[in-house]
Amino acid sequence: MASILITGATNAPGLALAEELAEAGHQLLPHGRTPQRSVPVAQRFGAGQYIAGLPASAGTQRPAAEVAARHGRLDVLVNSAGVASPGTAPSEARRQTDTSSGRR
C-alpha cells in the first residue's frame, strides 16, 4: 500500500481522510504543528508523527526529509493544513492559505 503524508492530519478534513486511508490499509504519516495534537493522532493510527510549523521554509522541508530517512519513499502528499472552516472571515482564510503555502 501507499505511504501517505497528510499535512493537517490533526483536524478535519485531514483527520477524516486519514481514517479512510487507514481503513484501506495505507501507511499513514500524519503531520501536525504541535506534539500535543500530533502524538494522539499518530498513536491512533500506529504511525510516526511529523511535527513542523509550515510557515517557515525549514518547516516545509523537515517532514519530507524525515519521511525519506524513516521510510525511504513518499508515495502521496496530501496538503490539508490551513483549510478554512465555513464562516471563517475572508482575512483569516487568506492568512491560513498563506501559512499553508509557506508565503508567511
Side-chain angles (χ1 to χ4, degrees):
M1 288 287 155
S3 173
I4 304 172
L5 175 63
I6 304 173
T7 68
T10 59
N11 294 316
L15 184 56
L17 180 60
E19 290 169 348
E20 288 186 34
L21 293 170
E23 286 180 22
H26 295 288
Q27 178 183 21
L28 298 181
L29 310 169
H31 165 272
R33 291 185 190 185
T34 67
Q36 296 82 2
R37 296 183 75 176
S38 299
V39 170
V41 171
Q43 290 173 340
R44 178 176 175 179
F45 298 113
Q49 72 274 3
Y50 297 88
I51 301 166
L54 293 180
S57 62
T60 60
Q61 295 170 5
R62 191 172 74 215
E66 289 179 20
V67 167
R70 291 185 196 177
H71 304 284
R73 73 178 216 269
L74 175 62
D75 298 313
V76 179
L77 170 64
V78 177
N79 181 17
S80 65
V83 176
S85 301
T88 301
S91 60
E92 176 61 12
R94 177 59 185 236
R95 186 195 66 77
Q96 290 176 7
T97 301
D98 288 348
T99 297
S100 295
S101 66
R103 288 184 267 187
R104 283 194 180 172

